[in-house]
Amino acid sequence: MNEYICTLCPRSCNAVRTEKEGSGFCRLGTLPKISRCAPHYWEEPCISGERGSGTIFFTGCVLSCIFCQNYTISQERNGKILTVRELSDEIKRLEDMGVHNINLVSPTPYAESIIKCFELYKPKIPVVYNTGGYEKAETLRRLEGIVDIYLPDLKYTDTQMSKTLSGAENYPEYAVSAIEEMVRQTGKPEFDDEGMMKKGTIVRHLILPQHTKNSIAVLELLKERFGSDILVSLMAQYIPMGKASQFKELDRRITPREYNKVLDRFEELELDGFVQELSSAKESYVPDFLSDLKRGDEYDIK
Ligand code: SF4
């Protein structure tokens, strides 16, 4: 793949992308650029288990969330470019370490390379597609048979919010259509004898400070549109990162009152899924990507 005209995500840039560079919104080339590749223990219990989720953090993003919790890799695009064969080797290496699944984080700009990678080698453990939710259903359809578990966000139902905070006014419509396609592919959640997820869709929502109305609207939409076909993961780990300090209301953690308000609605709606404790808002839950890249230990990309 020398030069590629890209319409993989809802930005539909029609941008020219070479293997190492791109002129689209994401500024990425088509070869996988990786920031971290290691067992990860802070996903939902049915994803992380005891042995961890074999997580591959791809560099860059199709969104530009000002509060991004992975800012150094999503917006500053730190990482190392691999060939498709090298990515496949990393997947095998993680599988050999005994992780429960292969977890692809922010993978969509690299979808073409990922499809080729799984043609080279398909692991025997489930493949997780972990995304901010800003996806095109037609791109997801090409992943049918590769991905076993979808782990999208639904960040907003409000277009003004998605425009201001993530630079994507059309986020809500695309994210909901994407979840429909994900659920069509996976069906209802399925688990193995140890309670680890084999198939299904878990929709995450991160509560933002001063935006409980948005969180409640998201939960209500998920209940109405998807009912028991999905699990919902309510996240309370928000800490001000990235450019969040430029927005006064985002420059703090969520309060117990905000947390309880959203949690009460989650319980009233009888949603199935997971709720993070408010005490989980700690920086230690965010991998230190920059020092990982410098460290050169066995988990790093060589
Ligand atoms: S993946 Fe990147 S280049 Fe392709 S459409 Fe999306 S933002 Fe544009």
Side-chain angles (χ1 to χ4, degrees), residues 30-43:
T30 55
L31 280 180
K33 191 171 182 185
I34 307 294
S35 300
R36 191 168 193 263
C37 192
H40 190 56
Y41 298 92
W42 297 284
E43 308 286 25

Side-chain angles (χ1 to χ4, degrees), residues 6-9 11-13 15 17 24-26 62 109:
C6 188
T7 57
L8 281 171
C9 84
R11 305 246 175 227
S12 293
C13 301
R17 296 174 68 192
F25 176 90
C26 65
V62 296

Side-chain angles (χ1 to χ4, degrees), residues 216-240:
I216 288 169
V218 165
L219 297 182
E220 289 174 347
L221 182 149
L222 290 173
K223 178 69 180 184
E224 189 189 321
R225 295 287 284 268
F226 302 104
S228 61
D229 288 345
I230 60 166
L231 297 175
V232 179
S233 181
L234 186 61
M235 309 184 82
Q237 69 183 35
Y238 178 85
I239 46 177

Side-chain angles (χ1 to χ4, degrees), residues 148-213:
D148 304 285
I149 298 168
Y150 283 102
L151 203 49
D153 294 336
L154 183 59
K155 298 175 190 289
Y156 324 99
T157 58
D158 181 90
T159 54
Q160 191 55 47
M161 245 183 111
S162 65
K163 181 180 177 186
T164 307
L165 300 185
S166 294
E169 188 170 12
N170 57 4
Y171 173 91
E173 67 184 85
Y174 272 98
V176 172
S177 298
I179 295 168
E180 278 171 359
E181 171 57 23
M182 293 169 184
V183 173
R184 183 196 70 75
Q185 288 182 28
T186 67
K188 285 179 184 278
E190 290 179 22
F191 301 88
D192 67 15
D193 296 341
E194 295 174 342
M196 299 305 297
M197 199 167 197
K198 290 194 299 186
K199 269 169 76 72
T201 300
I202 302 176
V203 181
R204 288 174 163 171
H205 176 72
L206 177 67
I207 308 169
L208 297 176
Q210 213 161 310
H211 287 295
T212 54
K213 269 193 193 145

Side-chain angles (χ1 to χ4, degrees), residues 4-17 22-29 61-63 107-111 134 136:
Y4 177 75
I5 307 297
C6 188
T7 57
L8 281 171
C9 84
R11 305 246 175 227
S12 293
C13 301
N14 277 304
V16 176
R17 296 174 68 192
S23 58
F25 176 90
C26 65
R27 314 299 300 174
L28 299 167
C61 191
V62 296
L63 289 170
T108 297
Y110 307 103
Y134 193 46
K136 265 184 169 174

